[in-house]
Amino acid sequence: MKLKTILGTLASASLLATGAIAADLTIVHGSIGRDQEVLRSQLDKFEAATDHTVTIVSMPESTTDQFGQYKLWLSAESDDIDVYRMDVIWAPQLAAHFVDLTPHVADIVGDFVPAAIESQTVDGKLVALPMFLGAPALYYRSDLLEKYGEEVPTTWQGLTETAQKIMDGERAAGNDDMWGFVWQGAAYEGLTCDAQEWVHSSGGGRIVELDGSIQINNPEAAAALDLAASWVGTITPEGVLNYKEEDARGVFQSGNAVFMRNWNYAFALAAGDDSPVKGKFGVSILPAGEGGQSTATLGGWHLGVTKYSNNQEAAIELVRFLNNYENQKERAIITSRPPTVSAVYLDPDVAAEQEFIPLWKPVVDNALPRPSAATLRKYNEVSSAFWTAVHNTLSGNGTGTENLAKLETELTRLRGPRW
Amino acid sequence: MAGKTAQSRLSRNRTRSAWLFLAPMLVTLFVVAAWPLGRTVWFSFTDASLDLISQARWVGIRNYLEWVDWGDGTGQYYGLLADPRWWRSVWNTVRFAVVSVSFETLFGLVIALVLNQSFRGRGLVRAAVLIPWAIPTIVSAKMWAWMMHDQFGILNDMFMRLGLISEPVAWTASPDTAMIAILIVDIWKTTPFMALLILAGLQMVPQDIYEAAKLDGVPPTRVFRKITLPLIMPAVLVAVVFRALDALRVFDIVYVLTPNTDATRTMSVYARENLFDFDQFAYGSAASTLLFLVIALITISFILATRMDLEGNTT
């Protein structure tokens, strides 16, 4: 840290003499799929256009792990990192450590998807500028559905039956590694997303309602969890209890699963030239419970500039650059992540290269946020309590009803007089 | 008379030099051990949060135990001592420590006995045995995570081919096997450490005792029980205490292999979760303080129970 400061000071001192200030910036992100390579190439362009240099610090895949480290850096008021790529749920918890971007992006903020901007605004402060969004899809093997004469399922019950049928058929034909449905079941933030979709789409409401009330202990939610628990060991490998995004993609992309629930990034990779399932799969909205509506959890990653950065101006310049139209368009095409600038959805090049993106606009617009706004600083504990209840149900440690009753007590206890 | 004064001055000088030489270590220990520990204990009695650490206020034992009255005659205990998740992690940790240290001692002893014999290439084997210990824990844990992967893992593949299991086991995922998976990795990793310490003890045993036993025709099992074991016992006990201390604060293996699950959460993982992931710095400090107390208690009882000779007084 000290060395960097000294070098930075020296560099700016020497450049002050020539009139231009070059900053040495650091950006941190948790790379998944092709994020790292796209980011690096865009940073190279930034470096060429300005005199700044940018270093990438790469973090583990798990959101939960990233948060712990970021919290440490921010609490220590570290100037090591200038730009953080933040999960959509973090804004309320970390707002105090970031620069209010409102005045710095006033000229472009109107181009962004309003809901995305709103999700990053805490008490009128724009904590981060949205980089890309996420709304998961049901990935299905179109070749297998056709082979068995099945339609893309629209209900969880339908998915269970179709997956079982195709899996049994494929296994009887000699493919012993075939599974029906893979998703993210490890005890971490990803499970909160998956389970919130099952519950909400089955009419079980939210983990914590918008007004802060706790109504998660209901029969619809319990039934949704019990159904998911019935998948483990039947259509879903038991190992799913420790799967994150990339584990699920590994199984699906190697051709060993009929269905997968995953985020948008998996599309570009599964459709890549080296993918065994290239041309054999499609995407659809996630199924719903009987009589319910399909629900997709709102995801996404956004760029914030920390208050402790010594190069705030250059860092803001970088954030604006990475989120400009061209870069959003490039990311949409290469990584199949839904962009945050509305106009990119209508771009003919994007539509031609990545059919997923324009198709996904309505899904992104209607995506369900996690209760981070209602639970504020206690969100991580709420999420942890929720994924623990779900994980216990999935691993056969109590039924949905029992675990949700415990969860209700736990959440009530966590809330205390107010969130 | 004069001689005596000179001697005591000499001994005073020696004492003074001793303190002088000890001072850097004492200062270092205070700075890196006593001060942070003291701070942690202090934070555990406050309402500190990571963001507002300087504004921590004293709240008494609320983080440990507090009765919250709902105002209608009923109420509920809050705090660490009333938190079932905490007690679950204590139980996980103790279970992990007991099982892992027992196996490591046993295997370490066997390996040390083998390595103590002379055979061709002994130096090479001794070096090779240390490899698991030399690999950083994060790396070996990640390596095992891939080997234990239910779909791509080599472990399942081997066991399936050998016919030991009929279908792939989800080692790290299933709550029944998660703890076993962690134990396997830890035992694999730390047995060399035990073997090394016990081997050092074995080499201290004078060879002439064995020769005498041989001349008297004592059978090998009796030689082991009556000569080898008692003589290496002090070394084994020290090794066990070292390992037990390590095992009781286990963090990295659990964090890499199976984070956040009730089945394997240890005290250290619990403390870290509250300190950094949740906005509960004070509560996490309380957990750290209790972790320290639990370890101290177990270690002291172990030393007392085994009448370990820490002063080096036995002849």
Side-chain angles (χ1 to χ4, degrees), chain A residues 80-390:
Chain A
D80 288 356
I81 307 287
D82 303 290
V83 179
Y84 286 82
R85 195 187 85 178
M86 294 154 66
D87 198 335
V88 62
I89 48 180
W90 294 345
Q93 297 180 79
L94 298 179
H97 300 285
F98 285 86
V99 174
D100 183 4
L101 292 174
T102 315
H104 305 285
V105 297
D107 53 328
I108 52 169
V109 75
D111 302 338
F112 284 76
V113 176
I117 293 289
E118 196 186 317
S119 76
Q120 297 306 298
T121 308
V122 179
D123 297 332
K125 172 177 178 175
L126 184 61
V127 179
L129 190 63
M131 187 184 194
F132 55 79
L133 296 167
L138 179 71
Y139 291 72
Y140 59 89
R141 285 285 297 279
S142 40
D143 58 333
L144 291 177
L145 287 181
E146 199 177 325
K147 180 173 164 190
Y148 289 85
E150 292 286 342
E151 298 284 305
V152 179
T154 53
T155 64
W156 294 113
Q157 204 59 50
L159 179 138
T160 313
E161 283 153 21
T162 310
Q164 186 77 53
K165 177 180 165 188
I166 298 181
M167 185 182 113
D168 291 347
E170 286 296 296
R171 287 193 169 203
N175 187 355
D176 282 340
D177 293 331
M178 185 54 103
W179 287 100
F181 184 33
V182 289
W183 30 280
Q184 296 77 40
Y188 79 123
E189 186 63 32
L191 179 56
T192 295
C193 300
D194 284 40
Q196 144 170 309
E197 286 155 4
W198 309 328
V199 168
H200 190 263
S201 67
S202 306
R206 297 166 186 248
I207 304 168
V208 171
E209 298 298 321
L210 289 175
D211 60 1
S213 63
I214 298 159
Q215 290 160 27
I216 186 66
N217 185 13
N218 62 68
E220 288 80 11
L225 294 191
D226 287 336
L227 178 64
S230 78
W231 297 333
V232 179
T234 55
I235 58 170
T236 299
E238 211 194 346
V240 83
L241 296 174
N242 212 6
Y243 277 12
K244 298 185 181 129
E245 283 82 358
E246 289 290 76
D247 302 290
R249 184 175 69 83
V251 177
F252 183 81
Q253 195 168 321
S254 49
N256 291 335
V258 186
F259 297 109
M260 168 176 74
R261 180 266 182 211
N262 214 330
W263 300 93
N264 317 71
Y265 82 98
F267 186 89
L269 294 161
D273 285 333
D274 56 353
S275 163
V277 297
K278 186 189 179 192
K280 294 184 194 166
F281 77 100
V283 285
S284 168
I285 55 168
L286 289 169
E290 301 288 345
Q293 285 226 324
S294 168
T295 304
T297 295
L298 177 67
W301 292 85
H302 309 315
L303 296 174
V305 174
T306 151
K307 278 201 314 204
Y308 317 115
S309 161
N310 295 324
N311 302 300
Q312 289 180 13
E313 263 183 47
I316 291 166
E317 200 183 334
L318 173 64
V319 168
R320 286 179 58 115
F321 175 81
L322 286 174
N323 284 339
N324 68 20
Y325 188 91
E326 289 75 30
N327 285 322
Q328 294 240 7
K329 178 176 163 181
E330 186 187 33
R331 269 201 302 275
I333 291 173
I334 299 179
T335 67
S336 63
R337 304 263 211 189
T340 52
V341 167
S342 311
V344 179
Y345 285 96
L346 306 171
D347 190 290
D349 296 341
V350 173
E353 299 264 354
Q354 214 52 279
E355 55 198 298
F356 197 4
I357 301 292
L359 184 74
W360 229 242
K361 181 77 167 66
V363 183
V364 171
D365 283 345
N366 293 312
L368 177 73
R370 282 159 274 171
S372 56
T375 57
L376 302 171
R377 298 175 75 92
K378 291 179 185 162
Y379 172 73
N380 281 2
E381 266 175 290
V382 169
S383 181
S384 172
F386 181 64
W387 83 51
T388 301
V390 177

Side-chain angles (χ1 to χ4, degrees), chain B residues 38-49:
Chain B
R39 289 272 287 178
T40 306
V41 175
W42 148 255
F43 280 132
S44 75
F45 292 106
T46 67
D47 61 354
S49 78

Side-chain angles (χ1 to χ4, degrees), chain A residues 65 97 187 242-243 377 380, chain B residues 51 151 172 255 260 277 279:
Chain A
D65 291 348
H97 300 285
N242 212 6
Y243 277 12
R377 298 175 75 92
N380 281 2
Chain B
D51 290 342
Q151 301 294 308
T172 56
Y255 189 68
N260 313 326
D277 286 351
D279 197 34

Side-chain angles (χ1 to χ4, degrees), chain A residues 17-63:
Chain A
T18 63
I21 302 177
D24 197 2
L25 298 171
T26 306
I27 182 168
V28 64
H29 77 155
S31 172
I32 200 168
R34 301 180 66 183
D35 289 349
Q36 176 90 3
E37 88 186 67
V38 178
L39 181 65
R40 188 64 257 174
S41 83
Q42 296 187 347
L43 290 177
D44 289 343
K45 287 180 208 152
F46 179 73
E47 289 180 350
T50 64
D51 278 332
H52 309 310
T53 52
V54 192
T55 312
I56 302 179
V57 173
S58 201
M59 296 296 289
E61 170 191 351
S62 160
T63 311

Side-chain angles (χ1 to χ4, degrees), chain B residues 84 132 134 155 202 206 257 265 267 291 309:
Chain B
L155 220 56
L202 276 172
L257 279 176
R265 186 185 291 103
M267 291 189 279
L291 165 69
D309 174 27

Side-chain angles (χ1 to χ4, degrees), chain B residues 100-168:
Chain B
S100 70
V101 176
S102 310
F103 275 101
E104 282 154 19
T105 313
L106 193 69
F107 293 155
L109 186 63
V110 172
I111 293 174
L113 286 171
V114 172
L115 291 181
N116 198 35
Q117 305 302 314
S118 26
F119 54 88
R120 269 172 64 95
R122 184 171 71 165
L124 200 69
V125 175
R126 280 188 182 175
V129 161
L130 280 177
I131 289 177
W133 177 247
I135 300 176
T137 312
I138 300 291
V139 176
S140 53
K142 204 69 206 170
M143 195 171 84
W144 276 91
W146 280 110
M147 292 188 356
M148 288 175 168
H149 196 280
D150 65 316
Q151 301 294 308
F152 323 118
I154 192 171
L155 220 56
N156 278 333
D157 190 55
M158 282 180 354
F159 288 172
M160 296 270 279
R161 280 169 203 268
L162 291 173
L164 293 176
I165 49 175
S166 56
E167 55 181 55

